[in-house]
Amino acid sequence: MNKRQDNYVSFKDVQKSYDGETLVVKNLNMDIAQGEFLTMLGPSGSGKTTTLLMLAGFEVPTNGHIYLDGQPIDNMPPHKRNIGMVFQNYALFPHMTVEENLAFPLQVRKMGKAEIESRIKRALDMVQLGIYGKRRPAQLSGGQQQRVAVARALVFDPKLVLMDEPLGALDKQLREQMQFEVKHLHDRLGITIVYVTHDQSEALTMSNRIAVFNDGIIQQLATPDDLYERPLNAFVAQFIGENNKIRGRIKATNGTTCQVEIEGGGTVQ
Ligand code: ADP
């Protein structure tokens, strides 16, 4: 087996402005390893979705470059990137059956009928929806629709899958079940997943590494344990610690500010 690449996805000095003035992504440098589950975590408006859209090819960086598997992809249209995508609102075609939804990305890739049929069957079995192929999305529960969306993102065997708040619309119990299932698929298929959420516990449960975003900047990129134990600054400590018992080095907190001991000495508010 080939050695897994540490920089399967690479953002180099990437900036993005929508209005030609304000940078909503500022000097982003980030490498994502092959097979990694990398989560972008941060408050609303911090630039996570914009970063994902640039990787998907729906937005173009204002400056800098993005590389996929060693190739610059700045000018490559989305469908050539061979990336699976799952977004919050499912984006299933409502007028198509589940099978037709799954066939769509395969037809776009001009696969033969027999190949399409066998892939659809495999994908439906994978998300345990084998008997629902003839239904339309409206005839499925929220969780089932979300499973179809996951199956559709995986049906053409992409090596990279992007997920933007995919479980945001689900209730707590279903969300936790889907978190488990997505993580299980990741482990089993060995795909690279880039995931966006503003939910700390979701990020901490699922990810190999987490990039904590704030105001268009990565505040820290580290494993969940490292973020917990060694938050680099007050923002990370507060954001990660907000709803969790942080084991890190927070010295004091009064609700809106907290004191954190920084690696190498000193404290910040
Ligand atoms: P997040 O995913 O972290 O919530 P976004 O990447 O969606 O953040 O947004 C980052 C900033 O860019 C926000 O201030 C948002 O209002 C702005 N923004 C996002 N999309 C557009 C767009 N299409 N046009 C103009 N501004 C946008």
Side-chain angles (χ1 to χ4, degrees):
M1 200 170 123
N2 291 336
K3 189 178 171 301
R4 297 210 150 183
Q5 262 173 273
D6 289 341
N7 55 353
Y8 182 59
V9 174
S10 202
F11 291 84
K12 295 272 187 243
D13 301 321
V14 170
Q15 298 184 321
K16 177 67 182 177
S17 169
Y18 286 105
D19 60 6
E21 254 176 65
T22 331
L23 289 176
V24 300
V25 173
K26 304 168 186 168
N27 250 37
L28 176 68
N29 284 287
M30 172 164 71
D31 286 343
I32 301 170
Q34 205 170 10
E36 186 167 29
F37 196 122
L38 186 288
T39 298
M40 297 193 268
L41 172 71
S44 184
S46 57
K48 309 179 298 291
T49 296
T50 301
T51 302
L52 206 67
L53 291 174
M54 289 191 286
L55 180 52
F58 296 120
E59 292 291 346
V60 179
T62 308
N63 291 303
H65 303 285
I66 303 173
Y67 300 84
L68 176 59
D69 206 5
Q71 303 298 317
I73 53 170
D74 302 320
N75 297 312
M76 189 187 283
H79 68 278
K80 292 260 168 76
R81 300 185 183 200
N82 225 25
I83 295 175
M85 293 175 220
V86 188
F87 296 114
Q88 179 170 8
N89 56 3
Y90 315 139
L92 295 175
F93 301 114
H95 58 290
M96 291 185 189
T97 65
V98 168
E99 284 177 358
E100 288 163 351
N101 265 281
L102 292 175
F104 187 78
L106 304 176
Q107 287 159 346
V108 169
R109 288 171 176 78
K110 311 242 183 295
M111 280 185 195
K113 196 161 172 280
E115 173 75 8
I116 289 180
E117 276 172 16
S118 96
R119 279 179 181 255
I120 289 175
K121 184 174 180 317
R122 196 152 37 98
L124 283 178
D125 286 347
M126 183 174 63
V127 294
Q128 293 157 28
L129 285 176
I131 58 172
Y132 295 103
K134 302 285 183 239
R135 293 204 186 180
R136 288 181 204 283
Q139 297 169 304
L140 299 175
S141 71
Q144 289 168 336
Q145 289 183 41
Q146 198 55 341
R147 284 209 189 104
V148 177
V150 171
R152 194 179 59 175
L154 296 173
V155 75
F156 56 93
D157 285 340
K159 292 202 175 78
L160 175 63
V161 177
L162 311 183
M163 298 188 171
D164 191 354
E165 303 267 3
L167 313 181
L170 305 179
D171 65 38
K172 188 168 179 295
Q173 197 184 349
L174 207 49
R175 201 163 62 228
E176 283 172 4
Q177 188 191 336
M178 284 296 295
Q179 284 173 7
F180 177 80
E181 287 175 16
V182 169
K183 186 70 188 135
H184 181 68
L185 282 175
H186 168 258
D187 294 345
R188 194 154 62 84
L189 302 178
I191 44 178
T192 308
I193 294 187
V194 184
Y195 196 92
V196 164
T197 183
H198 63 268
D199 181 332
Q200 298 93 322
S201 62
E202 186 164 295
L204 291 164
T205 322
M206 301 178 81
S207 322
N208 298 122
R209 285 190 308 156
I210 298 173
V212 182
F213 275 67
N214 189 36
D215 198 19
I217 292 171
I218 294 183
Q219 301 289 328
Q220 188 168 357
L221 175 53
T223 62
D225 272 358
D226 266 359
L227 288 179
Y228 249 40
E229 307 270 358
R230 288 174 283 280
L232 272 184
N233 57 38
F235 176 83
V236 174
Q238 223 172 331
F239 196 74
I240 295 290
E242 214 166 274
N243 299 314
N244 302 288
K245 262 213 164 95
I246 191 157
R247 299 195 300 267
R249 302 183 182 175
I250 293 182
K251 287 173 68 180
T253 176
N254 69 6
T256 53
T257 61
C258 67
Q259 276 196 336
V260 188
E261 264 180 14
I262 299 288
E263 286 265 89
T267 56
V268 292
Q269 285 280 355

